[in-house]
């Protein structure tokens, strides 16, 4: 096993400004990759992260670019610009996501569409313009971030659970379309991970959720990044079409 499993790889990570995406960006650069990190509202955070990583890893490139993955044209511009900025392109991590938690009976059309557009339609808007370079190159990896909610269903998260379940089907189908071209497509399904997303959960609910985890603690963004970077590397070349849950054994 090489010390730098992503050496020389070009990676694109959506939602790379904070949370799990930022941890993936940090780990990918540390493992030798050049990375384009997409941000939406977090330009300042994304630029600070890119500056830190460029200083810590001279010779590596870390490029922040604006991306609204819920918008087809904005996502296409992001994809084209990402390809322009990278010498080569090997790995796409579809990580950007949002929640709009509410009981289904109270859900507004705006909440439903925001969640579906950002979490599920982004699989189309971002992957479609970045697919052919990987297919033509006959190598590469796509890693989609889904959720335990998509596997088991979470009350208060019907739209989110539907979108994340959709990612599982998308991953399986696309993996079969392009396996013969040497491109893998896998999904990672985190349970409860310490980020801004889970910080928004009311404390009593968070304590209840923790009680469903055998180790009684949330995972870290780095726990997820390890799995994502493994799936992005050649070490995982024979794994495709899979959804791997990373949840500390969460029992729901
Ligand atoms: P987070 O800390 O809230 O970060 C969300 C990221 O998504 C940010 O970088 C944000 O960018 C980006 N984003 C949001 N809307 C966007 C849009 N329209 N276009 C482009 N980027 C957008 O969340 P996280 O916990 O790291 O979650 C990352 C992924 O893991 C998501 O797909 C989430 O569903 C999934 N997940 C998380 C958990 C968990 O427990 N945390 C569990 C299961 C799955 P800006 O900050 O620049 O706006």
């Amino acid at each position: 096993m090489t010390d730098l499993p992503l050496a020389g790889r070009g990676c694109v990570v959506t939602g790379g400004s904070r949370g799990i995406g930022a941890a993936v960006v940090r780990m990918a650069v540390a493992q030798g990759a050049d990375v384009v990190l997409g941000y939406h509202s977090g330009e300042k955070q994304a630029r600070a992260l890119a500056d830190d990583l460029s200083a810590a890893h001279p010779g590596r490139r870390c490029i922040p670019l604006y991306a609204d993955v819920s918008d087809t044209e904005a996502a296409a511009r992001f994809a084209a610009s990402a390809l322009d900025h990278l010498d080569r392109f090997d790995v796409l991590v579809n990580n950007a996501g949002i929640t709009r938690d509410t009981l289904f009976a109270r859900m507004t059309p705006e909440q439903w569409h925001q969640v579906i557009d950002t979490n599920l339609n982004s699989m189309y808007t971002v992957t479609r313009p970045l697919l052919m370079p990987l297919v033509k190159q006959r190598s590469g990896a796509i890693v989609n971030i889904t959720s335990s909610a998509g596997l088991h269903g979470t009350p208060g998260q019907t739209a989110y659970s539907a979108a994340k379940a959709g990612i599982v089907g998308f991953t399986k189908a696309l993996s079969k379309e392009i396996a013969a071209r040497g491109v893998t497509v896998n999904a990672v399904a985190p349970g409860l991970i310490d980020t801004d997303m889970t910080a928004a959960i009311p404390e009593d609910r968070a304590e209840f959720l923790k009680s469903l985890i055998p180790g009684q603690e949330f995972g870290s963004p780095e726990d997820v990044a390890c799995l994502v970077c493994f799936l992005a590397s050649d070490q995982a070349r024979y794994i495709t079409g899979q959804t791997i849950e990373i949840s500390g054994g969460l029992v729901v």
Side-chain angles (χ1 to χ4, degrees):
M1 187 188 292
T2 157
D3 282 346
L4 292 176
L6 298 179
R9 298 276 163 101
C11 300
V12 174
V13 182
T14 66
S17 50
R18 57 198 166 94
I20 292 170
V24 170
V25 170
R26 272 190 225 100
M27 201 167 287
V29 172
Q31 293 189 2
D34 291 330
V35 177
V36 164
L37 63 128
Y39 62 83
H40 184 226
S41 61
E43 176 172 3
K44 215 167 140 189
Q45 277 168 295
R47 291 199 182 282
L49 175 60
D51 288 349
D52 281 357
L53 288 171
S54 300
H57 302 276
R60 291 274 63 79
R61 303 179 67 210
C62 189
I63 304 131
L65 292 179
Y66 173 80
D68 180 355
V69 300
S70 68
D71 179 283
T72 308
E73 284 172 17
R77 282 194 295 276
F78 165 72
S81 181
L83 292 175
D84 281 349
H85 279 84
L86 290 169
D87 293 335
R88 52 176 293 139
F89 169 55
D90 304 279
V91 175
L92 168 60
V93 182
N94 279 312
N95 164 76
I98 57 165
T99 50
R100 293 287 182 269
D101 295 358
T102 185
L103 291 175
F104 183 65
R106 295 190 190 140
M107 186 174 290
T108 65
E110 289 74 23
Q111 288 169 328
W112 176 269
H113 288 296
Q114 279 173 353
V115 169
I116 300 294
D117 284 348
T118 307
N119 294 284
L120 180 59
N121 290 343
S122 60
M123 295 297 129
Y124 177 82
T125 63
V126 179
T127 309
R128 178 67 188 80
L130 289 173
L131 187 65
M132 286 320 286
L134 297 179
V135 166
K136 283 186 184 152
Q137 181 175 269
R138 292 186 163 265
S139 72
I142 298 172
V143 184
N144 303 319
I145 308 300
T146 173
S147 168
S148 292
L151 301 178
H152 311 293
T154 306
Q157 293 193 319
T158 47
Y160 184 75
S161 300
K164 293 302 196 185
I167 293 175
V168 175
F170 169 78
T171 299
K172 288 181 186 175
L174 185 62
S175 73
K176 289 174 182 164
E177 288 188 13
I178 60 177
R181 302 301 180 105
V183 182
T184 61
V185 189
N186 290 291
V188 166
L192 289 147
I193 308 299
D194 256 324
T195 67
D196 294 343
M197 192 174 270
T198 44
I201 300 172
E203 206 176 315
D204 53 342
R205 172 86 180 148
E207 283 311 309
F208 167 72
L209 292 170
K210 241 172 231 176
S211 74
L212 304 178
I213 304 169
Q216 311 276 298
E217 60 168 1
F218 286 4
S220 71
E222 290 70 29
D223 291 329
V224 181
C226 286
L227 178 55
V228 172
C229 287
F230 167 68
L231 290 171
S233 76
D234 267 349
Q235 294 156 16
R237 61 169 270 308
Y238 200 57
I239 301 173
T240 197
Q242 304 305 302
T243 296
I244 302 175
E245 192 169 18
I246 174 160
S247 67
L250 176 74
V251 181
V252 290

